[in-house]
Amino acid sequence: MRSKKKTRSISSAVHDEADRQFATTLARGLDLLRCFTATEPELTNKEISERTGLPKPTVSRLTYTLTRLGYLRQLPHAGKYGKYGLGTAVLSIGYPLLANMNVRQVARRPMKELADYARGWVSIGLRERLNMVYIETARSPQVLATSRADIGQTFPILVSAMGRAYLVGLPAPERAALMNQIKVGDPALWKTYAPRIEKSLADFARSGFCLGYFDYNPLLQVVAVPMRRPRNGYLPVFNCAVPVNKGTPAPRDADLGSRLIKMVRSIEDVLDRE
């Protein structure tokens, strides 16, 4: 669960105080929307203030405006202080982006086939600032009731096989620049997870995929593979995740990794012919 302590505004990580073109009010509104998650879909103004570090009167004005525009909805019977949830207008923003990513349409069938074989799930992710975000997911029937993996799920680049596969897939100068952003943006996370980057580079050089054991989820084994070049200006990364018992991971790395590589290459071939 996200900490309730006052945190640095998300937009502050990219905001140069001398940049007069930067619309601070807009950035604050977007920061506010990012507070809502799958595990915390309903928040009060007070809780939003604690998460963003914004003053309560500012949060109140922003939630009022966003509710009027349909990006938030005020929940009925939510107690004395009232709660908000995301509104349907949020969906309309993402649709044009997703609809024009043909990699999703091409990948759906092979992703479902691999997910069923693995008895887990297969996802496509893109970079979003210092995070990865799922843009497509296929799940086997065995995990439909227990997995939250779905479109829009985000997690830090460093803490997942998918994120480290993204780093591996970048040209060296771009990788170094992004790693520096992560180091400056979240020093504590960097200190904990940075050693795994070198291991991921070695894993990829040896086998063609990156591994993740008990990274951001202590009960998952994950393999991840980046596409060989960007598509529509983005570098997609695929992962395959399977539930395991901590301490006794099933020895499926080679099998799932090789199957994931084969699937990604077949998708690339189809896209190249279009």
Side-chain angles (χ1 to χ4, degrees):
M1 180 177 292
R2 187 176 300 201
S3 170
K4 291 183 173 61
K5 294 181 180 179
K6 188 174 292 187
T7 59
R8 185 186 184 196
S9 172
I10 295 168
S11 63
S12 65
V14 295
H15 180 198
D16 179 354
E17 295 295 337
D19 187 356
R20 295 184 179 181
Q21 291 292 98
F22 192 86
T24 302
T25 301
L26 174 60
R28 287 174 171 175
L30 296 175
D31 282 352
L32 187 154
L33 293 175
R34 291 166 64 100
C35 290
F36 296 86
T37 68
T39 55
E40 293 183 299
E42 302 175 1
L43 297 171
T44 65
N45 281 340
K46 181 176 182 293
E47 290 169 332
I48 294 170
S49 177
E50 291 170 346
R51 285 156 178 74
T52 60
L54 296 174
K56 292 179 186 177
T58 299
V59 170
S60 180
R61 289 195 300 273
L62 290 173
T63 54
Y64 173 80
T65 303
L66 291 167
T67 300
R68 290 287 303 272
L69 294 174
Y71 294 102
L72 289 180
R73 57 193 176 91
Q74 192 162 19
L75 305 176
H77 313 299
K80 177 179 178 182
Y81 299 103
K83 287 192 174 184
Y84 295 87
L86 293 177
T88 53
V90 173
L91 296 174
S92 66
I93 296 178
Y95 173 73
L97 174 66
L98 294 175
N100 284 284
M101 289 183 173
N102 55 350
V103 63
R104 297 173 60 244
Q105 289 76 29
V106 172
R108 278 181 182 140
R109 177 175 291 182
M111 286 173 63
K112 185 63 169 63
E113 291 173 350
L114 180 55
D116 288 344
Y117 170 82
R119 297 188 177 186
W121 60 89
V122 178
S123 302
I124 312 174
L126 300 177
R127 176 191 167 193
E128 193 277 313
R129 297 193 188 182
L130 304 183
N131 300 312
M132 299 299 293
V133 57
Y134 283 166
I135 63 166
E136 189 71 34
T137 295
R139 292 176 284 185
S140 73
Q142 286 83 354
V143 298
L144 282 175
T146 58
S147 167
R148 287 185 175 271
D150 210 342
I151 294 172
Q153 180 180 347
T154 63
F155 39 84
I157 288 173
L158 284 186
V159 305
S160 68
M162 173 177 275
R164 296 192 294 272
Y166 177 82
L167 288 171
V168 168
L170 292 176
E174 293 182 29
R175 183 190 312 133
L178 178 54
M179 287 168 60
N180 187 61
Q181 287 183 47
I182 297 171
K183 184 177 181 179
V184 172
D186 198 330
L189 197 70
W190 175 263
K191 183 178 180 180
T192 301
Y193 288 96
R196 301 193 188 190
I197 297 175
E198 290 302 320
K199 184 179 185 304
S200 292
L201 289 168
D203 288 342
F204 190 81
R206 181 180 65 255
S207 59
F209 57 87
C210 293
L211 289 166
Y213 281 113
F214 321 126
D215 284 329
Y216 69 97
N217 185 324
L219 300 177
L220 287 183
Q221 173 191 5
V222 187
V223 293
V225 175
M227 293 192 113
R228 288 177 289 194
R229 64 180 178 83
R231 306 281 170 167
N232 302 114
Y234 299 93
L235 179 64
V237 182
F238 291 76
N239 72 4
C240 178
V242 294
V244 294
N245 295 320
K246 188 172 182 180
T248 57
R252 304 180 66 190
D253 297 343
D255 178 36
L256 296 180
S258 63
R259 288 176 182 272
L260 185 63
I261 293 171
K262 183 177 180 180
M263 185 198 78
V264 174
R265 300 299 171 246
S266 69
I267 292 169
E268 288 177 327
D269 290 343
V270 173
L271 292 172
D272 287 341
R273 291 195 298 267
E274 290 187 345

